[in-house]
Amino acid sequence: MNSKYYSNPSLLLENSEIAEAFNDIMTYKKFPKHHLLCETGKVCKNMYIIQSGITRMFYYKEDKDVTVHFCTEQETASVFESYVKNEKSKFNIEALEELEVMEIAFTDLENLFSRSPEFERFGRLFVQQLHINLIERINDLHFHNAKERYDKLLTKKPHLFQRVSQKHLASYLNITPETLSRIRSK
């Protein structure tokens, strides 16, 4: 692998200085299926750029696990709230498949952002995109019915339906597995 950074197009900017700086702080890691990258009750100190595999973020409520997010190739998995506040995470991040990731320690990321306005701008744009994604997710849950949420997910991320269990998809869509089966059969 020539450059860890260039194999991550979601991070690639047209600035070679930023590309090389990211290359210097990333570490290639592999994790087995079911490995927890982040655990409830522990501070999340890293973010993971997924090279191959899929993760799900979830929490437990009344003895049920509730899926809130999936990350696949070229997406970033982490519990940013835990890192920013230096608080114990409320979420787990589980590998649903064998994972290959680029790991970035948040301390290294913070140091990188403090080096120049260009790096800080990159960080701001990254956080803006995270915020937009979160708002879209909240809007989906509040303003769309189950069928609309299903259709939107099928359009945006059709690969999830082949790679993720129906139980986890239903949880993410905030519906029962039975409702998901009815929607899929129509």
Side-chain angles (χ1 to χ4, degrees):
M1 184 183 284
N2 294 349
S3 169
K4 296 175 264 185
Y5 185 83
Y6 290 113
S7 66
N8 295 287
S10 66
L11 284 178
L12 189 61
L13 295 178
E14 294 179 11
N15 181 310
S16 61
E17 183 183 1
I18 293 174
E20 286 307 312
F22 269 92
N23 190 49
D24 290 345
I25 65 170
M26 293 192 294
T27 305
Y28 173 82
K29 298 260 178 118
K30 276 180 104 168
F31 297 106
K33 185 176 181 176
H34 301 301
H35 178 79
L36 291 179
L37 281 77
C38 183
E39 294 181 60
T40 300
K42 295 182 179 177
V43 175
C44 186
K45 296 183 182 206
N46 299 302
M47 71 178 209
Y48 304 90
I49 302 163
I50 305 199
Q51 301 293 292
S52 67
I54 187 168
T55 64
R56 79 176 178 112
M57 181 185 290
F58 71 99
Y59 64 95
Y60 291 102
K61 182 176 183 179
E62 298 169 6
D63 294 329
K64 289 185 182 179
D65 71 53
V66 179
T67 300
V68 296
H69 191 64
F70 297 105
C71 289
T72 60
E73 288 80 6
Q74 305 310 319
E75 294 180 331
T76 305
S78 191
V79 182
F80 292 98
E81 177 187 28
S82 173
Y83 161 69
V84 170
K85 293 181 169 184
N86 197 34
E87 291 180 350
K88 294 176 182 176
S89 176
K90 296 176 179 104
F91 301 98
N92 296 292
I93 298 177
E94 175 189 25
L96 294 181
E97 299 173 349
E98 184 174 292
L99 282 180
E100 292 184 39
V101 301
M102 301 308 294
E103 180 183 78
I104 302 174
F106 279 119
T107 52
D108 292 338
L109 192 60
E110 292 257 326
N111 290 335
L112 179 65
F113 291 158
S114 70
R115 285 177 33 193
S116 78
E118 188 90 347
F119 294 151
E120 184 134 70
R121 177 179 179 274
F122 178 84
R124 179 179 52 80
L125 294 173
F126 179 77
V127 170
Q128 283 176 346
Q129 189 57 53
L130 288 177
H131 182 76
I132 289 167
N133 294 345
L134 178 61
I135 295 301
E136 287 176 358
R137 173 80 171 127
I138 291 168
N139 287 342
D140 284 347
L141 291 171
H142 287 285
F143 298 113
H144 295 42
N145 64 37
K147 174 75 166 101
E148 291 168 336
R149 290 193 303 273
Y150 171 85
D151 289 342
K152 187 171 181 180
L153 184 61
L154 187 59
T155 300
K156 284 180 85 171
K157 294 188 173 191
H159 57 280
L160 289 180
F161 292 85
Q162 284 77 49
R163 298 170 70 185
V164 175
S165 74
Q166 187 161 317
K167 175 180 96 168
H168 295 324
L169 286 171
S171 176
Y172 176 77
L173 292 168
N174 197 28
I175 58 178
T176 65
E178 296 77 23
T179 300
L180 179 57
S181 288
R182 280 194 299 276
I183 291 170
R184 290 181 89 168
S185 68
K186 292 181 182 180

